[in-house]
Amino acid sequence: MDAYALIFCGLAFLLAAGVTYLLTPTVIRWSWALKIVALPGPRKIHKDPVPSWGGVAVLTGFLSSVLGALLLQPNALTSLFPILLGLGAITAVGTLDDAKGLRPGVKLIGQVVSALIPVLLGVRITFFQHPFAEGYLSLSQLQSLTLSVLWIVSLTNALNLIDGLDGLACGVSLLAAVTLAFFSLAQGLDHLALAVALAGLAGACAGFLPFNFHPAKVFLGDTGAMGLGYLFATLSIAGTVKRVAVLSLLGVTVLVLAYPIADTLFAILRRWTEGRSLFSPDRGHLHHRLIDSGWDQSSAVLFLYLLTLTFCLLAFLLGQVRR
């Protein structure tokens, strides 16, 4: 692991964390002023209105680390430009949903359009490495486009669906981003842009978590939760190269985010078998089940952090085996 790359990533982490931490109180005031507030409800855990535009602080912190990296090394992150364009689109969709409440179908269309931006600009899954054999499985243009959009939209929603307890989505994202950043660093300087972006993402989550952990002063909102899912999905695609494809895309990202991915898949299966719309909300998510079983918020969130950390360690062990 190159010392220069490690220092560069450390600076990105600290810059993102600092900007997010300093900006969040201002974003809280903006949320109140613009009435972007999560109100209590039958499926909601919180009992009082809470500002829900915190994703603006997180994504601004992330972008500050990207811009800081560009100032220090102008060519470092230009490859991520398509991802940043799509991030702008998904941020707009999330903001509209937080402020006005979009219908599920309209929100899905917005997610698909946001996913298409980086995919049409070249950020797409084009092949898979066989996990237990030599060789690669190439995808056709249609297969590549379809699978890439499906992956981005799915992970965008997966992070959004677990954002139901104070600090849950933010903390899970922090653990996942740190793990993925170290995996990227291990691939050498050709993955520096990816590692810096992931370190910035981790820093933004770290700077926001003090305000978001129970009792939360501010929520990520759809702006933040969907933005985090989008970034994990697109960065994992951007970091896929042939010699580590099974690790960077399937082995690492799927493993470290196994909890939100599995929770989403079970939600789809549960609603389908019950004959309900896939967009219909319920209290069947794992975090809801823990609360309904008598767990308090902090204990449930810490348990789910531990679950995510276990998957992160499993991904690390898999990476060692595959070397």
Side-chain angles (χ1 to χ4, degrees), residues 23-187:
L23 182 59
T24 298
T26 300
V27 169
I28 292 174
R29 291 193 294 271
W30 290 346
S31 295
W32 284 117
L34 296 172
K35 298 181 180 179
I36 304 178
V37 178
L39 300 175
R43 293 189 311 106
K44 304 294 180 65
I45 306 299
H46 62 284
K47 294 179 172 56
D48 299 302
V50 178
S52 59
W53 206 27
V56 170
V58 173
L59 297 180
T60 302
F62 166 75
L63 289 173
S64 72
S65 68
V66 172
L67 293 175
L70 285 172
L71 291 175
L72 292 175
Q73 193 180 61
N75 297 324
L77 299 175
T78 52
S79 60
L80 301 182
F81 182 69
I83 293 175
L84 298 181
L85 285 179
L87 179 62
I90 199 66
T91 300
V93 174
T95 296
L96 286 172
D97 193 39
D98 288 330
K100 302 296 183 182
L102 298 177
R103 295 194 302 274
V106 174
K107 184 161 66 172
L108 180 61
I109 291 172
Q111 292 170 347
V112 171
V113 171
S114 301
L116 279 170
I117 293 173
V119 170
L120 293 177
L121 292 175
V123 181
R124 61 174 64 184
I125 304 166
T126 57
F127 59 85
F128 285 106
Q129 180 182 3
H130 293 296
F132 304 111
E134 296 295 329
Y136 303 89
L137 175 64
S138 297
L139 302 176
S140 68
Q141 288 287 335
L142 180 59
Q143 290 172 332
S144 173
L145 187 148
T146 303
L147 185 60
S148 300
V149 170
L150 180 62
W151 167 246
I152 296 171
V153 172
S154 297
L155 207 53
T156 297
N157 282 293
L159 265 295
N160 198 28
L161 286 175
I162 68 164
D163 188 30
L165 297 181
D166 295 354
L168 180 53
C170 186
V172 167
S173 296
L174 170 59
L175 294 170
V178 168
T179 303
L180 289 167
F182 273 104
F183 265 88
S184 300
L185 279 173
Q187 307 310 320

Side-chain angles (χ1 to χ4, degrees), residues 183 310-323:
F183 265 88
T310 301
F311 285 122
C312 290
L313 293 174
L314 183 59
F316 176 79
L317 292 175
L318 175 63
Q320 297 303 305
V321 170
R322 293 287 300 180
R323 286 184 184 279

